[in-house]
Amino acid sequence: MAGHGGEGGAVGKVTCAAWVRRRDDEGPPGVSRLLVAFGRGATASSPTLVDLLEFDARACSLASEPLVSGDYCFPRGLWLSCLIARLLWMWLVSQARILVGEEPADTPRAIAVHPGGRELVCATAKGCRVFKLVYRDFGIHLISSDASLLQSVGPQKCLAFSTDGAKFAIGGEDGHLRIFNWPSLSVILDEPKAHKSFVDMDISLDSEFLVSTSNDGSARIWKIDEGSPLINLTRSPDEKIECCRFSRDGTKPFLFCTLVKGHDVLTMAVDISNWKRIGYKKLSAKPISTLSVSLDGKYLALGNREGDFCAVEVKKMEVAHWSKKVHLGSPVSSIEFCPTERVVISTSHQWGAEITKLDVPPEWKVWQIWLVLLSLFVSSAVLFYLFFKHARLNL
């Protein structure tokens, strides 16, 4: 099941996307806990934008307008209060879509959302813009935040927050790696010659390591707290390491990488205790353009350069879902798992954004497990009663 990512007729095509998960105790009533942040290019009638859309998990669809498609109900008879409240409502809702800039260089290229759901960073050809999500009673207010240190860093290929939200890293098209403390933006590492040019980057679950890959096929591990390189992953002359993601299940930590070896496209696993290869497997015959891992670490998603993607069950390292021609011949530029559902959002430069529900076996919910345990307990109690009653009758 696929759906267009809230493309509007007047606004530009989606150029990048990311999930936003707000906390239970934040935000206006009636607004979904799951939102999607879209970066949009310019059109003849609309500048470059970032907007927020609600995600309906039951329908597996996005709202057609930023945050609210309906109107707010006000009490009758209070004309002045009604007018003021209506204007306030319209102003707050309008702030769910915010201007990035007027020039082509202001087009959003990538979005990274802070794990707390209160901030997002948008990369452009000029640098990075920071936006804050302010949760109000009437809606969600999206406002620009001052981050002068990031605004002039130039085009960035990779953006990543650590899982605890305390670290933020960017990797540039010029090969420059920067790692910051968040939100102070104090510099941990500033390495202008980390790579020739970045391809991909990720931070480990414990926020200890950062992995980065280069367009020359190399991959490097960095020790974040020390702000220094740790090791280069070994590879043979005919191998190129491209995409990379750390595992997220919290048990035995791995590093997953896509590996081009001659004409073969492989997915390999690396043990991060010694940075040696555990093994690799051919999961896709087509060149991989992007890699992602679900928040619970149970699935990988691999998007290829012909517009297809697959979801792989990590435990078995087998393909559990295929989506063909989602982006119809255009490379999948990004793919990201929904924080709570087996749903992904994928983007491409030609077709914008697509929402896809994964056709994978449903998982047991907590309440279902408790229901089974309760049923077993009741059944055991009934059997014990019948056995005891039958034994007394025999006596």
Side-chain angles (χ1 to χ4, degrees), residues 228-285:
S228 61
L230 179 66
I231 192 173
N232 290 340
L233 296 183
T234 57
R235 63 187 179 99
S236 59
D238 64 336
E239 293 179 338
K240 292 186 68 176
I241 303 172
E242 296 185 332
C243 303
C244 55
R245 284 295 181 273
F246 284 100
S247 61
R248 299 285 169 186
D249 61 0
T251 55
K252 188 171 182 180
F254 299 107
L255 170 64
F256 298 103
C257 298
T258 60
L259 181 71
V260 178
K261 185 178 178 66
H263 297 291
D264 293 327
V265 181
L266 308 169
T267 302
M268 72 172 182
V270 177
D271 187 342
I272 73 171
S273 65
N274 55 21
W275 304 107
K276 293 182 178 180
R277 296 184 188 183
I278 300 171
Y280 51 80
K281 190 171 185 179
K282 188 173 184 177
L283 299 170
S284 173

Side-chain angles (χ1 to χ4, degrees), residues 19-23 26-27 33 35 37 52 112-120 131-135 140-142 161 163-165 182 339:
W19 294 96
V20 181
R21 182 183 183 183
R22 69 179 181 86
R23 289 166 43 182
E26 291 182 325
R33 286 184 59 211
L35 309 171
L52 293 173
V113 179
H114 188 272
R118 286 176 168 269
E119 296 161 302
L120 62 86
F131 299 99
K132 289 185 179 292
L133 285 72
V134 181
Y135 298 98
I140 299 178
H141 197 183
L142 188 62
F161 278 103
T163 305
D164 59 7
W182 191 270

